[in-house]
Amino acid sequence: MAWTKEIPARPVVAVAGATGAVGREFLKVLHDLDFPACEVRALASARSAGKKLEFGGCGDVPAGELVVQEMTPESFEDVDIALFSAGSDVSKAMREAVVAAGAVMIDNSSAFRMDEDVPLVVPEVNPGDVSWHSGVIANPNCSTIQMVAALKPLYDLSRITRVVVSTYQAASGAGAPAMRELYDQTREFLDGKADDELTVKAFQHRIAFNCIPHIDKFLEDDSTKEEWKMVAETKKIMGDDNIKVAATCVRVPVLRCHGESINVEFADEVTVEAARAALEAAPGITVMDDPASNAYPMPGLLAGTDGAYVGRLRRDPSVEHGLAFWNVADQIRKGAALNAVQIAQLLLPQA
Ligand SMILES: NC(=O)c1ccc[n+]([C@@H]2O[C@H](COP(=O)([O-])OP(=O)(O)OC[C@H]3O[C@@H](n4cnc5c(N)ncnc54)[C@H](OP(=O)(O)O)[C@@H]3O)[C@@H](O)[C@H]2O)c1
């Protein structure tokens, strides 16, 4: 059913999962973009009720501390926009209450991304898709967001027929506890603890001084669900079922920012120069590419930044019309919180 309720110019915003890695970033992004909220409600599990979170303020909400409330179906009364990052189960459990309260849920989990009545939106790629939501808009998978943001300006030069991507994904992609595990395990490892004495909870194996080619669960064809998401979500966001995508997703011992090695094959010739000009002109993309001065995007440089960074742009001589490049983005910002708040901005009455 099409959504008819208008979002007011000064909406009430709920942040569901406010104590998590993405939730805390939501609060920073709302402040950074000075989102015109008249109220910001911080929600999390009963474990966090009463906890205080620093908030820089935005709209009519002054800087100060937000007191976390336990999330229940009643939490969404009078809410206009609910930014969700509390995992798929919580999103599924709360969807009905959110929509019944008349709020639009912008969901970071994978619960509804492929549902036919749920737009999957990257504002730089398919902003118009927000228009047909029926109460829920999904934020794509973090690795997919930064990739399609860079693919879109290239696709506009010539149809993309095939993409081969290998990801180098930060520990924080698995949440705040996983980020702590990388810190603590590195310390334990340097203290001389043996592998079987290390605390391994967030990942299947040790992440300190290691790379793990396994993100989310394995599927029947031996790919992982994270890899499947990159394939399926790319087609939905780009609106082209014919793009072939081959993905290999790898967890690396980096705190923040996913890196991606991307090879693109086009229907027609696209020169490196044309691709560079298109990327430089594209919203949300920064080209950082100067081999002579060893300049290229790196996670260690880019934590806390907005948008996606592209470098190492070159011809891929292994196919007729091919380019290769390297792409880095802070996945907690552009891959999650920033993208979702940009979607929320698209919902505001346009002046
Ligand atoms: N991390 C990333 O880079 C990233 C990127 C894109 C999308 N996402 C998605 O965003 C979601 C959250 O990820 P995260 O990395 O922020 O995880 P996280 O750091 O583990 O945070 C989880 C949040 O969910 C809350 N929560 C958990 N169970 C709950 C319950 N039963 N009721 C209410 N709140 C509950 C937690 O509250 P307590 O503190 O009270 O437990 C916490 O605020 C996931 O769906 C994830 O796939 C994450």
Side-chain angles (χ1 to χ4, degrees), residues 159-235:
R159 187 168 58 81
I160 291 172
T161 56
R162 180 169 184 249
V163 179
V164 179
V165 54
S166 298
T167 68
Y168 301 62
Q169 294 185 220
S172 55
M179 200 171 181
R180 275 195 298 278
E181 184 157 315
L182 172 56
Y183 264 122
D184 296 345
Q185 214 180 63
T186 303
R187 197 171 289 124
E188 289 174 356
F189 189 84
L190 292 173
D191 284 346
K193 280 199 177 175
D195 259 15
D196 59 1
E197 296 171 317
L198 298 173
T199 311
V200 176
K201 275 197 193 145
F203 303 109
Q204 302 81 4
H205 302 277
R206 184 186 98 210
I207 185 65
F209 303 99
N210 198 15
C211 298
I212 307 172
H214 177 183
I215 301 181
D216 211 329
K217 62 183 182 193
F218 276 103
L219 304 178
E220 266 180 17
D221 66 355
D222 292 340
S223 67
T224 63
K225 192 159 176 215
E226 183 82 354
E227 291 158 358
W228 173 84
K229 286 175 200 165
M230 292 195 77
V231 176
E233 292 183 20
T234 298
K235 292 173 195 270

Side-chain angles (χ1 to χ4, degrees), residues 50-342:
K51 216 180 205 178
K52 291 183 178 146
L53 298 175
E54 284 293 325
F55 181 50
C58 72
D60 302 336
V61 188
E65 285 176 333
L66 297 178
V67 180
V68 178
Q69 302 170 28
E70 178 185 355
M71 191 192 318
T72 66
E74 290 71 43
S75 307
F76 300 97
E77 218 168 281
D78 302 326
V79 169
D80 298 298
I81 296 175
L83 301 168
F84 260 76
S85 66
S88 292
D89 292 344
V90 177
S91 297
K92 285 180 189 160
M94 292 292 160
R95 177 184 185 159
E96 210 181 303
V98 173
V99 175
V104 178
M105 173 192 256
I106 302 176
D107 185 36
N108 263 282
S109 81
S110 58
F112 315 115
R113 286 183 191 147
M114 298 311 293
D115 289 6
E116 277 188 8
D117 62 341
V118 175
L120 185 62
V121 177
V122 178
E124 293 85 350
V125 180
N126 59 337
D129 281 346
V130 295
S131 64
W132 54 264
H133 77 86
S134 47
V136 180
I137 300 173
N139 209 50
N141 163 265
C142 45
S143 311
T144 309
I145 292 177
Q146 70 185 73
M147 180 170 82
V148 296
L151 292 183
K152 170 71 173 142
L154 302 178
Y155 192 102
D156 290 344
L157 296 175
S158 164
R159 187 168 58 81
I160 291 172
T161 56
R162 180 169 184 249
V163 179
V164 179
V165 54
S166 298
T167 68
Y168 301 62
Q169 294 185 220
S172 55
M179 200 171 181
R180 275 195 298 278
E181 184 157 315
L182 172 56
Y183 264 122
D184 296 345
Q185 214 180 63
T186 303
R187 197 171 289 124
E188 289 174 356
F189 189 84
L190 292 173
D191 284 346
K193 280 199 177 175
D195 259 15
D196 59 1
E197 296 171 317
L198 298 173
T199 311
V200 176
K201 275 197 193 145
F203 303 109
Q204 302 81 4
H205 302 277
R206 184 186 98 210
I207 185 65
F209 303 99
N210 198 15
C211 298
I212 307 172
H214 177 183
I215 301 181
D216 211 329
K217 62 183 182 193
F218 276 103
L219 304 178
E220 266 180 17
D221 66 355
D222 292 340
S223 67
T224 63
K225 192 159 176 215
E226 183 82 354
E227 291 158 358
W228 173 84
K229 286 175 200 165
M230 292 195 77
V231 176
E233 292 183 20
T234 298
K235 292 173 195 270
K236 181 167 175 176
I237 301 161
M238 301 287 289
D240 183 349
D241 265 347
N242 295 318
I243 303 181
K244 293 183 184 137
V245 180
T248 303
C249 294
V250 182
R251 189 73 68 188
V252 296
V254 159
L255 284 170
R256 267 177 94 129
C257 293
H258 292 347
E260 297 179 346
S261 158
I262 301 176
N263 289 65
V264 182
E265 199 173 341
F266 298 92
D268 303 300
E269 176 68 10
V270 173
T271 63
V272 169
E273 294 70 29
R276 189 184 307 281
L279 287 161
E280 278 171 349
I285 297 288
T286 304
V287 176
M288 185 185 272
D289 192 21
D290 183 18
S293 62
N294 300 336
Y296 27 72
M298 290 185 287
L301 271 185
L302 296 173
T305 59
D306 291 340
Y309 288 71
V310 171
R312 300 293 324 280
L313 181 63
R314 62 208 190 275
R315 208 168 78 78
D316 174 353
S318 67
V319 291
E320 198 184 354
H321 303 305
L323 290 176
F325 61 93
W326 170 245
N327 174 3
V328 175
D330 184 326
Q331 93 290 344
I332 307 182
R333 282 185 79 87
K334 184 55 190 167
L338 175 63
N339 196 74
V341 177
Q342 287 172 328

